[in-house]
Amino acid sequence: MGARHAEAIKNAPNTRLVATMDPDERLARELAGEAFYTTRVEELLARDDVDAVLIATPNHLHDVIGIQAARAGKHIVVEKPMAPTLERADRFLAACHEAGVALSVGYSFRYAPEIRAARRLVEHGVLGRLLSVQLTCYLDKPPSYYGSGYTNRVHSDWRASMEKSGGGVMIMNMSHQLDQIRYILDRDLTRVTSVAGVLDSPAGVEVEDAISVSCEFQGGAIGNFFGTCFARGIDNQIEIRLLGDAGSIVLERPFRFLTLRGMDGVASGRWHAFGKLPKVDVHMTYLAWFADAVFRGKTPELSGQDGRAIQAWLEAMYESARRGRPVTVMPPPELVSPQAAVRRS
Ligand SMILES: NC(=O)c1ccc[n+]([C@@H]2O[C@H](COP(=O)([O-])OP(=O)(O)OC[C@H]3O[C@@H](n4cnc5c(N)ncnc54)[C@H](O)[C@@H]3O)[C@@H](O)[C@H]2O)c1
């Protein structure tokens, strides 16, 4: 993912790649191009020309390197998830607040145009009162995924380890859709009940390859999230359905909605396509928004608090699966207003 982000940093209108770091010198050099590279994080963090860092390491290093970067006064984009556990995510968030640096957690797919459009439809009241949310995620991961991901660029066991990754299909893949759902609806989960298992993965894989979660949202809506890594023949089919008392939104191609409400230019009770959506490089768009917020001394639109909220959903889902009972989603700790705390770069 580091390579894709390096490209996005080069392409965004308001960011510049000034340095890269990887313990593997070859990878650091490849990423850097003309820029400075190092194998030591301290050397990168000591540089005055580095305003912000983007952390795209295995999950268990996100908060460790993030806290180091915050203490060095660098603004931070960290890949999802924020940390392998909620406790570590909270420590990370607190360190950023203390240092007055901006933090954003890389749920960049909320910048997909259909997700922005769905949020606008909800704001316009298309759904009416939210009743139900369904998310299904069908993946067909090859056994090699657990040793080298989808790119085969780096060989490592972190994706198979519960301690290092924090989990399987839910935290690694579906967490993007969790952020999308939370962003579109602007509401949190309150309670979840989950079942998870390792049903068809190579020996040694500790993280779930199937998970089913029943959940309750603020306001009483009921949700159902299901994901699997062994969907033969239907790889990468991911759908979100939002149901309200006045309409439905389906985030599955073709993206569409129906509303019973009278709205300007929208016939009631009929399905409507989202229409022509712009082509968007979500990673570049995300970084441009982040940099813009930092330059203006504002909290990024996709904030550390957002990342923490998704971490709380994930933690409740995994705890419920472990304990075999419903689990309440932990509300965020009291923190100083992030808006006031972010230092302008
Ligand atoms: N947003 C997305 O769509 C998306 C997609 C894939 C992965 N990810 C996330 O990106 C992160 C990286 O995933 P990946 O697939 O690129 O993993 P990867 O294993 O392919 O790459 C990880 C990189 O981190 C480097 N690394 C290891 N230890 C390090 C350290 N101490 N300091 C600095 N670098 C270190 C490795 O050498 C390697 O280059 C994960 O958190 C993953 O969840 C996000």
Side-chain angles (χ1 to χ4, degrees):
M1 204 54 206
R4 272 172 85 178
H5 285 306
E7 262 322 291
I9 292 170
K10 287 179 199 162
N11 292 336
N14 52 356
T15 59
R16 195 162 56 89
L17 184 68
V18 293
T20 67
M21 178 266 154
D22 197 296
D24 182 328
E25 187 175 342
R26 180 182 61 83
L27 294 174
R29 187 174 56 237
E30 270 175 23
L31 269 191
E34 301 293 298
F36 172 84
Y37 64 89
T38 174
T39 56
R40 292 183 52 248
V41 71
E42 294 76 13
E43 198 176 358
L44 180 130
L45 295 176
R47 290 180 69 96
D48 289 337
D49 58 354
V50 173
D51 292 325
V53 295
L54 189 152
I55 302 166
T57 62
N59 297 353
H60 65 295
L61 299 170
H62 288 181
D63 57 321
V64 178
I65 297 174
I67 291 172
Q68 257 181 295
R71 290 183 179 149
K74 308 300 183 193
H75 301 293
I76 301 164
V77 173
V78 66
E79 255 304 346
K80 42 55 59 176
M82 195 167 163
T85 66
L86 183 59
E87 194 190 346
R88 286 173 60 171
D90 278 341
R91 277 205 296 268
F92 186 3
L93 193 57
C96 292
H97 277 260
E98 233 173 85
V101 299
L103 171 64
S104 182
V105 182
Y107 292 111
S108 35
F109 289 98
R110 78 153 63 171
Y111 289 91
E114 66 275 14
I115 302 302
R116 317 295 276 190
R119 180 172 155 117
R120 282 195 297 276
L121 289 172
V122 171
E123 283 169 354
H124 281 96
V126 158
L127 292 178
R129 184 166 63 91
L130 180 73
L131 301 175
S132 186
V133 179
Q134 193 180 30
L135 161 64
T136 49
C137 171
Y138 295 106
L139 302 175
D140 188 5
K141 294 187 179 177
S144 59
Y145 167 85
Y146 293 99
S148 53
Y150 286 117
T151 63
N152 221 15
R153 180 175 166 266
V154 181
H155 291 269
S156 166
D157 66 354
W158 70 269
R159 290 177 189 81
S161 153
M162 193 68 190
E163 197 189 330
K164 291 182 181 166
S165 64
V169 63
M170 183 57 79
I171 199 165
M172 290 295 288
N173 308 97
M174 296 168 73
S175 56
H176 279 297
Q177 281 73 44
L178 301 184
D179 178 71
Q180 290 176 335
I181 289 169
R182 184 172 174 274
Y183 173 70
I184 294 168
L185 299 174
D186 200 17
R187 71 179 76 189
D188 265 298
L189 288 182
T190 53
R191 210 160 72 119
V192 302
T193 310
S194 321
V195 184
V198 190
L199 306 184
D200 189 32
S201 290
V205 172
E206 299 168 355
V207 298
E208 89 282 358
D209 58 15
I211 184 163
S212 175
V213 185
S214 301
C215 36
E216 296 162 43
F217 282 83
Q218 285 167 339
I222 291 175
N224 193 290
F225 303 162
F226 174 75
T228 173
C229 301
F230 44 72
R232 310 286 177 245
I234 44 175
D235 183 35
N236 208 18
Q237 197 164 305
I238 302 171
E239 298 160 9
I240 298 171
R241 287 163 192 250
L242 309 170
L243 312 179
D245 65 354
S248 306
I249 298 176
V250 177
L251 290 165
E252 170 207 347
R253 286 176 198 279
F255 307 120
R256 56 197 185 274
F257 72 97
L258 174 148
T259 187
L260 304 176
R261 289 254 166 99
M263 291 175 69
D264 275 355
V266 176
S268 164
R270 287 180 35 197
W271 284 102
H272 298 274
F274 275 24
K276 202 166 160 48
L277 296 168
K279 273 209 162 14
V280 171
D281 176 338
V282 291
H283 301 300
M284 190 198 80
T285 305
Y286 164 50
L287 291 181
W289 275 74
F290 172 80
D292 183 60
V294 164
F295 287 131
R296 290 187 296 115
K298 299 281 186 207
T299 300
E301 184 207 51
L302 202 177
S303 67
Q305 300 280 7
D306 291 326
R308 191 273 175 203
I310 296 305
Q311 197 80 43
W313 292 19
L314 292 163
E315 183 98 347
M317 289 173 192
Y318 285 124
E319 195 186 330
S320 172
R322 267 194 308 274
R323 293 178 186 256
R325 60 169 177 74
V327 170
T328 301
V329 175
M330 284 282 283
E334 291 292 322
L335 287 169
V336 190
S337 151
Q339 200 104 8
V342 172
R343 185 177 48 74
R344 192 187 287 258
S345 236

